[in-house]
Amino acid sequence: MFEATAHTHSETTSVLNFANALWRVRKPRPFVLVIEGEVGHEGTEPTDYLHDKLLLPEWREAFYKLVDATGLVVCLNVHTQHPTYRDVRGRSSKGRLSQGEYYHHDGCTGPVKPRFVEIRCPIQPQTRGVATAVAPHRDVVKAMVQVLPAELAATSALATQDMSPETLSQMDDEALDHLQGLITRTVRKKLNAEGARSYFRQVDAAANAYFEPWALGESRFIANANSRLTMQHRRAYQAPHTGGVANGHLVKRWTNEELLLPGQVADLALIAALCSEEGDEVDGERAEGCYLGAH
């Protein structure tokens, strides 16, 4: 499927043969595949190659498996007005982190999580200045432990936890989620907003997260419920959040569950449950049970 150079961690552009077309690709991280566009279409206006080619019914599951196997697949230079996208909800304030600023899976409160989440920056007049950091779940938790201030590690919630590298390497997803929830709640309670944001910027770096600036017309497919390489993501301010700065908006969908093949029926209860997690923090109990809890 790939030329040999596409297997390496490299910014060198390689070629992917997929969906009866050749695509320019590169791998800026071991867990990231960036699709720049179709070979031979360099310099042309953006098109909806996502829906017109990659997500056609006959190729859709193969593309989904590419996301499963990679972790994060980025599609650049896509112009689409597909009706399945909706605005990303939730806003950050100067005095308090939004739920989306903590590393999380989508669907963390329910027994069923979406296979992956697609987050998209539409082509629009205003560019997007806030990053979205993405990294493998295990790497995120290891980084959260690695850069955790000693005074936080000594709190009652964490002092009894075995956070040695050996133990972390053997934890299953449920144990990683539980430890991550304990650390996130401790950071939230003990640090002010900018202190917490600074901590998570250190986590981004230690986890080697992908947080390239958003390009207009970019879609990111983030593996969200995956036994091989589950990812997490967060809204990531790379400078102190002072508010009042114009920013392009993002849209999203759970493509596997919402972009349906002929004959498929949406699980409306699942979609409603997933959407209920996305609002601003208005209910402390719900918030604790979501990104800040044991997932």
Side-chain angles (χ1 to χ4, degrees), residues 37-187:
E38 191 173 352
V39 173
H41 291 240
E42 296 83 355
T44 61
E45 290 296 314
T47 64
D48 193 1
Y49 68 79
L50 189 57
H51 297 92
D52 293 343
K53 295 195 175 183
L54 299 181
L55 291 176
L56 285 175
E58 60 266 35
W59 295 105
R60 193 172 300 173
E61 181 59 27
F63 181 74
Y64 291 173
K65 287 179 178 177
L66 180 62
V67 178
D68 289 338
T70 305
L72 170 63
V73 174
V74 177
C75 296
L76 300 178
N77 302 310
V78 175
H79 179 60
T80 182
Q81 296 178 323
H82 201 278
T84 53
Y85 295 103
R86 62 190 174 281
D87 284 340
V88 171
R89 297 163 60 186
R91 297 291 181 268
S92 303
S93 70
K94 289 182 288 183
R96 189 176 186 83
L97 272 67
S98 73
Q99 298 296 313
E101 289 185 72
Y102 301 101
Y103 272 105
H104 63 280
H105 318 279
D106 271 25
C108 52
T109 62
V112 180
K113 297 176 176 64
R115 183 173 179 178
F116 49 80
V117 56
E118 179 191 351
I119 306 176
R120 173 167 177 75
C121 186
I123 295 175
Q124 57 192 301
Q126 178 64 53
T127 58
R128 175 77 177 176
V130 181
T132 298
V134 185
H137 181 206
R138 187 175 299 276
D139 292 352
V140 168
V141 179
K142 287 181 177 179
M144 289 175 71
V145 170
Q146 178 184 331
V147 304
L148 187 67
E151 61 270 21
L152 298 190
T155 59
S156 58
L158 296 175
T160 59
Q161 299 294 315
D162 183 352
M163 296 187 288
S164 66
E166 295 77 19
T167 298
L168 289 174
S169 66
Q170 296 174 12
M171 284 184 174
D172 60 18
D173 286 344
E174 185 176 354
L176 289 170
D177 275 335
H178 177 71
L179 177 59
Q180 183 176 35
L182 292 175
I183 296 174
T184 299
R185 285 198 301 275
T186 301
V187 168

